Amino acid sequence: MKSFRRMLLAAAVILAGSSVHAQEWGDLSGSFVLTEKAPTPKQLEITKDLECCGQYKEEVVDETIIVGESGGLSGVYIWLRPTSKQKVTVHPEIEKQFTENPAVIENLHCRFQPHTVALWAGKQKLIVKNSDPIPQVVKIDMLKNQPINVTMGIGDQVEQKFSVAERLPGKVTCGLHPWESGFLLASET
């Protein structure tokens, strides 16, 4: 037992004395897969603008849990949160992609697409589009950032920046169509 402790102490001293540096950039990826039978999405009741939204009633479902054909979950937020003392460095090409390409929420077929969106707070702007042939009232409630509540005409688009990272996603809703919902996460990176 004594010799094991000495080996452990020697390994700790060697590791503590050496500095570890990242030599290259890396990617972290993964997926969440449902191993059971996926629940059937519940059909949502369309209560307004039936002449337009009624034609998309098959698409207007509860998107709380979205499961693909292979069981993969869609619309899941995953992020690593460094300690307050850690500075996360992002590869310059990745940062450029985010600053040049906005996050987009499109109101299409009487629903928000995609259902979940993430953007880089302070670096990436959000564009909300109304591609439906009817007006929409888009509301995005955030905790730290200014909320959005805007009436959008046919073909309108709104641009918004979120300067502060949020710990939780904000709810995206429509003031005219109560079944329309989604989520927006303004993250640090």
Side-chain angles (χ1 to χ4, degrees):
M1 187 67 160
K2 254 186 186 179
S3 62
F4 177 73
R5 286 187 194 155
R6 283 188 201 135
M7 260 182 17
L8 193 56
L9 179 61
V13 169
I14 291 169
L15 289 174
S18 66
S19 59
V20 179
H21 297 284
Q23 298 298 317
E24 296 179 28
W25 298 94
D27 292 322
L28 177 63
S29 63
S31 59
F32 284 87
V33 178
L34 190 64
T35 57
E36 300 172 2
K37 184 178 184 284
T40 303
K42 179 183 157 197
Q43 203 75 40
L44 298 178
E45 185 180 2
I46 298 171
T47 56
K48 290 185 172 185
D49 294 317
L50 295 174
E51 65 284 347
C52 175
C53 298
Q55 63 185 321
Y56 306 114
K57 66 182 177 184
E58 298 302 316
E59 296 176 47
V60 178
V61 295
D62 182 355
E63 296 180 271
T64 302
I65 299 176
I66 305 166
V67 182
E69 289 179 20
S70 62
L73 292 177
S74 176
V76 176
Y77 293 109
I78 303 170
W79 64 98
L80 300 175
R81 200 161 149 236
T83 65
S84 60
K85 295 178 184 178
Q86 291 176 311
K87 170 77 172 122
V88 175
T89 306
V90 176
H91 191 282
E93 286 299 314
I94 300 294
E95 186 170 346
K96 182 179 176 187
Q97 287 176 14
F98 276 88
T99 56
E100 291 179 355
N101 298 301
V104 177
I105 297 175
E106 183 174 17
N107 199 299
L108 179 64
H109 296 178
C110 298
R111 49 191 277 262
F112 292 113
Q113 298 183 39
H115 184 67
T116 55
V117 175
L119 61 80
W120 189 348
K123 302 247 183 207
Q124 188 180 23
K125 64 184 173 185
L126 172 69
I127 294 179
V128 181
K129 298 179 179 180
N130 179 16
S131 299
D132 275 333
I134 53 175
Q136 304 285 346
V137 176
V138 177
K139 186 172 191 261
I140 303 176
D141 290 314
M142 305 298 276
L143 295 174
K144 296 181 179 180
N145 290 283
Q146 191 72 23
I148 298 172
N149 192 1
V150 62
T151 301
M152 298 180 69
I154 299 164
D156 283 355
Q157 82 176 30
V158 174
E159 186 178 302
Q160 180 76 25
K161 278 203 129 185
F162 297 91
S163 58
V164 181
E166 302 269 354
R167 285 184 171 223
L168 298 170
K171 185 81 169 160
V172 181
T173 58
C174 177
L176 298 175
H177 308 107
W179 64 87
E180 292 180 17
S181 69
F183 294 94
L184 171 68
L185 178 65
S187 67
E188 284 183 74
T189 52

